[in-house]
Amino acid sequence: MTTRYQLTSKGVHSPFVLVRRVVHERIGRLGGHLRGLLAGYAFGSNVITKSNGTAAGDNAAGNAIRTGAALTGMAAGRLGSVLAELGRGTWSLRQILGRPRERAPERLALEQLGFLSDAGLVLSSSLVPQRIIDMIASLAVPRLGDGAIVFLRDGEKVRLGAIVHRDGRVAEYLRNFVAARLPSLDSEDGPGLVLRTGQTWYMPYLTDELMARMSTAGMADAPFPAFLKGPTITVPMPGQGRVLGAVTLVRSSGTYTSVDISLAEHLARRGAAALDNAQLYSVEQESALTLQRSLLPENPPALRGVEIAMEYRPGTAGTEAGGDLYDVIALPDGRVGIAIGDVMGRGLHAAAVMGQLRAALRAYALEDWAPAELLSRLDRVVDSLPGLHLTTCMYIVYDPVSRRATVSNAGHLPPLLVMPDEEPDYLVLDPGLPLGVGGAGAFSETSLELPPGSGIVLYTDGLVESRRHPLEDGMDRLRRGLVRAREDSATADAGTPVAGVPSPGSARALLRQCLAASGVAVQTDDDTALLVMTTYPSRPALVDVALPAEPESAVHARSALARILAGQRLAAVADDALLLVSEVVTNAVLHARSDLVLRVHQEGDRLRVSVEDREGARMPRRRTPRDDGESGWGLLIVDVLAHGWGVETTGDGKRVWFDLMIPASGNADRTLSR
């Protein structure tokens, strides 16, 4: 029970004290009457006692009894009146306790505390900055006004965060109105003043001066909307030593009391705290994600006979960084090595271990160790690291000439095979023990043929396992989903390609089908690494021409490429390809000073252009363009226009390559991508 207090002329007293005082007064009156009655009753008794004791006559005894009876009747009558009076006093007690309307201010204070408590819970339920901004505006309407506008400070500029109004049409008008009149930090009123000083600003009504200032040029005589002429308050959103934003509340009529302003300030403070936490989390999230992606390859190397698609999706539980890894390594004789692994644990520590293992894996792969021997050496590396770092890993070497793949596994999930004219299924092989368990011994190898049109899917457990779905169910869902996707692709009309959609047999298409079949969201509980390789016939290069280290070589390269692109009907990428090959060849002529070799391959939906030279010591790098505007633009242009680009060392030099993705509508000869 909540104790309430009432202010009197003698100070603040608890209602229980006042109740006790009234009761004492009533009982005091009753006590006086009762004492008189008891005294009379005692007198009568004494008389009776005395008459008995003195053996008085019958007349004396009768008089005494009649006197006692009369007094008893009188006492009963007075007692009834006293009790009736005490009963009437109960209304006075209710008055002292207070009627419901007298407790309205206290009840209002409790409601305000409840509102702020609920608002804090709602605001803390998200770590998405824009979501929190929208919630601040929504919580303020209609409790604190008919409309709410959230402004955010972005350095020395002001941007609009959110607008909410009870009337949707008014909200749309306000969006257009505010977009054309964003406040500035040097303003002497309104949101600009609040964002600069951090002080609340209150306008009881719209003055003519403000109306003229807010009207656009040529519209000073236009009628101003009535819903903007009411009272307005703007409260700051204070952060850690800075003002994050401001919340403007508008009413079409009425006024804002000091209680309303205080409530708005408290709501803005809670919103600022939630927004500050969300922004800090976003910075940490982006930093971790940048670290993670820097440890993984961004684009596959120049390969023949295969197409590679890769994707990494961070988890939502804790930091974005994790221990999932994948890699694609170009090996001698046109072979390719693909690897995938998962370091136990999460966070930056797991990502750091993953980076060390990927570096060791790539070094052993470039030494051309067989898959089983590579895993044995990698196991010793994991054992040498301080602490326990259980790691699963799978390494595959594919030879496009023999079309055979050699697989070795260290406790990783089995790959999913997508073979021509067969249902997708998991490869049966010796699972092996994870790396780092100690004394694992030799790993086994499995060989299989991957004819043209085959696909192999490597993945980590984030793709098939979650809090809601066990691993076995997830793997079965992935397999059945790919079966349905292949059936749908077979019945679809292959004669109506859609621009921007990969062809059915491409690695990118298979990767998208895997993501759709698994039901994995953009953000998942666990990290997800996915690597897909599809095989194609190893065809000769579309262009394979030697060029001298002369400026005219850029012209010859453009001419050779233009003839091929026109003949293969690849006009959709011709402009970008000709511009980029000119930049890459010119860069090689200027810096390599050796003979060049231009090669162009088409693998599925990808056009790969590479320029090789015999100068391996000087690697190309992006530079800041000079003030004259004539140099430093080459690799910047390649970075903007190409789907991906990179530099690889060769036996006697280096290779600079770039990729262009061929839209489905830009390749009429579909046999080239089979």
Side-chain angles (χ1 to χ4, degrees):
M1 179 176 180
T2 302
T3 303
R4 301 183 183 276
Y5 296 90
Q6 179 176 326
L7 184 63
T8 66
S9 59
K10 297 182 179 180
V12 178
H13 294 287
S14 167
F16 298 109
V17 176
L18 303 178
V19 170
R20 188 167 61 249
R21 180 182 302 167
V22 172
V23 171
H24 285 175
E25 291 177 357
R26 302 301 186 191
I27 295 301
R29 298 179 191 173
L30 178 61
H33 291 298
L34 290 177
R35 281 194 297 272
L37 293 174
L38 292 175
Y41 176 75
F43 171 75
S45 300
N46 291 335
V47 170
I48 294 174
T49 303
K50 286 182 179 179
S51 64
N52 291 335
T54 58
D58 292 340
N59 292 335
N63 292 334
I65 292 173
R66 285 192 296 271
T67 303
L71 291 174
T72 301
M74 184 184 303
R78 292 184 179 179
L79 180 60
S81 64
V82 170
L83 292 177
E85 183 180 357
L86 185 59
R88 288 194 302 270
T90 57
W91 175 249
S92 299
L93 296 180
R94 285 196 297 271
Q95 287 182 327
I96 292 173
L97 289 174
R99 296 175 181 176
R101 63 174 179 268
E102 296 174 359
R103 298 198 299 271
E106 299 161 348
R107 193 166 59 246
L108 179 60
L110 290 176
E111 291 175 357
Q112 292 172 347
L113 290 176
F115 167 73
L116 292 175
S117 177
D118 294 342
L121 291 175
V122 171
L123 292 169
S124 63
S125 64
S126 176
L127 286 173
V128 181
Q130 186 56 50
R131 171 66 176 157
I132 293 175
I133 294 168
D134 294 337
M135 288 192 294
I136 294 172
S138 299
L139 287 168
V141 178
R143 181 63 183 262
L144 295 171
D146 298 325
I149 308 173
V150 180
F151 296 95
L152 300 174
R153 179 166 181 172
D154 189 2
E156 296 301 316
K157 297 182 179 179
V158 180
R159 66 181 179 91
L160 178 62
I163 291 181
V164 173
H165 199 278
R166 301 176 69 173
D167 189 334
R169 293 170 299 178
V170 174
E172 187 63 27
Y173 177 88
L174 286 175
R175 289 188 188 93
N176 299 328
F177 182 86
V178 174
R181 303 167 179 81
L182 277 176
S184 60
L185 294 179
D186 57 358
S187 176
E188 295 301 325
D189 50 47
L193 175 66
V194 176
L195 289 170
R196 187 178 73 252
T197 64
Q199 301 295 321
T200 296
W201 181 79
Y202 175 42
M203 181 184 70
Y205 57 90
L206 187 62
T207 63
D208 295 338
E209 179 185 357
L210 280 175
M211 194 182 308
R213 196 184 313 164
M214 295 170 67
S215 298
T216 56
M219 296 182 61
D221 297 332
F224 212 75
F227 53 80
L228 290 181
K229 295 183 179 180
T232 301
I233 56 173
T234 301
V235 294
M237 296 170 54
Q240 297 293 334
R242 58 196 177 102
V243 179
L244 298 178
V247 182
T248 296
L249 303 171
V250 297
R251 284 178 177 169
S252 58
S253 62
T255 185
Y256 278 102
T257 65
S258 58
V259 175
D260 295 333
I261 297 176
S262 176
L263 186 62
E265 290 175 337
H266 280 85
L267 175 62
R269 279 196 206 96
R270 282 165 169 77
L275 181 60
D276 203 14
N277 290 336
Q279 290 176 342
L280 290 174
Y281 175 79
S282 297
V283 171
E284 294 179 358
Q285 186 182 49
E286 185 61 29
S287 299
L289 186 57
T290 301
L291 169 64
Q292 179 79 32
R293 287 176 173 164
S294 68
L295 298 174
L296 298 174
E298 185 176 0
N299 294 291
L303 303 170
R304 296 183 184 180
V306 298
E307 182 184 3
I308 302 289
M310 306 173 295
E311 183 153 345
Y312 170 77
R313 292 192 175 184
T316 57
T319 179
E320 296 282 348
D324 290 9
L325 67 95
Y326 54 73
D327 206 351
V328 181
I329 306 109
L331 301 176
D333 303 324
R335 293 172 298 133
V336 57
I338 58 175
I340 194 162
D342 190 356
V343 179
M344 182 185 67
R346 288 188 52 81
L348 296 176
H349 182 68
V353 174
M354 179 270 288
Q356 298 178 67
L357 294 184
R358 179 176 173 250
L361 186 149
R362 174 169 281 269
Y364 291 138
L366 291 175
E367 290 179 355
D368 207 10
W369 292 102
E373 181 61 27
L374 182 144
L375 291 183
S376 296
R377 293 173 177 269
L378 200 61
D379 181 47
R380 293 195 288 270
V381 173
V382 176
D383 263 342
S384 68
L385 298 176
L388 180 63
H389 304 289
L390 294 180
T391 303
T392 64
C393 185
M394 180 181 295
Y395 181 59
I396 302 176
V397 174
Y398 176 70
D399 186 353
V401 177
S402 64
R403 299 175 182 172
R404 296 200 63 82
T406 304
V407 186
S408 187
N409 190 22
H412 201 77
L413 297 172
L416 184 63
L417 291 180
V418 184
M419 306 291 282
D421 303 324
E422 295 182 16
E423 285 193 356
D425 205 353
Y426 292 98
L427 176 64
V428 178
L429 71 165
D430 183 3
L433 293 176
L435 306 176
V437 299
F443 295 91
S444 62
E445 291 182 352
T446 301
S447 295
L448 70 154
E449 184 177 353
L450 295 178
S454 302
I456 187 166
V457 180
L458 307 182
Y459 55 93
T460 57
D461 56 358
L463 184 72
V464 293
E465 187 178 27
S466 68
R467 299 174 185 174
R468 299 177 298 276
H469 302 291
L471 178 63
E472 294 78 8
D473 292 349
M475 293 178 66
D476 187 57
R477 184 173 60 249
L478 174 61
R479 185 189 64 80
R480 288 188 286 105
L482 283 187
V483 171
R484 290 193 300 269
R486 286 170 64 86
E487 293 174 351
D488 296 341
S489 176
T491 57
D493 183 10
T496 57
V498 180
V501 177
S503 62
S506 69
R508 290 189 299 131
L510 183 55
L511 183 140
R512 292 185 181 182
Q513 290 172 358
C514 290
L515 293 175
S518 66
V520 66
V522 175
Q523 288 188 318
T524 60
D525 296 336
D526 195 7
D527 302 342
T528 300
L530 182 60
L531 188 151
V532 175
M533 182 183 76
T534 53
T535 61
Y536 297 94
S538 183
R539 299 185 300 270
L542 299 178
V543 176
D544 191 345
V545 58
L547 300 170
E550 299 175 356
E552 293 79 7
S553 291
V555 179
H556 298 322
R558 285 198 304 270
S559 300
L561 184 57
R563 287 193 300 269
I564 293 297
L565 296 181
Q568 302 296 336
R569 287 177 273 185
L570 298 174
V573 296
D575 292 340
D576 290 346
L578 295 177
L579 173 61
L580 296 183
V581 76
S582 178
E583 293 292 339
V584 173
V585 170
T586 300
N587 192 69
V589 169
L590 291 176
H591 301 288
R593 299 184 178 88
S594 69
D595 293 341
L596 312 175
V597 177
L598 170 67
R599 290 191 177 94
V600 180
H601 293 84
Q602 182 190 354
E603 299 291 352
D605 294 334
R606 182 185 64 195
L607 186 72
R608 170 67 60 92
V609 180
S610 63
V611 176
E612 298 181 17
D613 60 53
R614 294 199 303 271
E615 178 60 62
R618 302 181 61 182
M619 304 298 286
R621 57 185 177 85
R622 280 178 288 191
R623 297 182 300 161
T624 303
R626 295 180 181 176
D627 294 336
D628 56 15
E630 296 183 359
S631 60
W633 292 98
L635 291 182
L636 289 177
I637 295 175
V638 174
D639 191 47
V640 171
L641 296 181
H643 177 74
W645 71 279
V647 183
E648 302 170 353
T649 58
T650 60
D652 58 351
K654 65 178 179 295
R655 178 189 301 117
V656 180
W657 58 268
F658 63 85
D659 283 346
L660 293 173
M661 303 311 297
I662 305 169
S665 60
N667 184 5
D669 186 2
R670 304 304 299 169
T671 60
L672 289 175
S673 59
R674 298 292 183 187

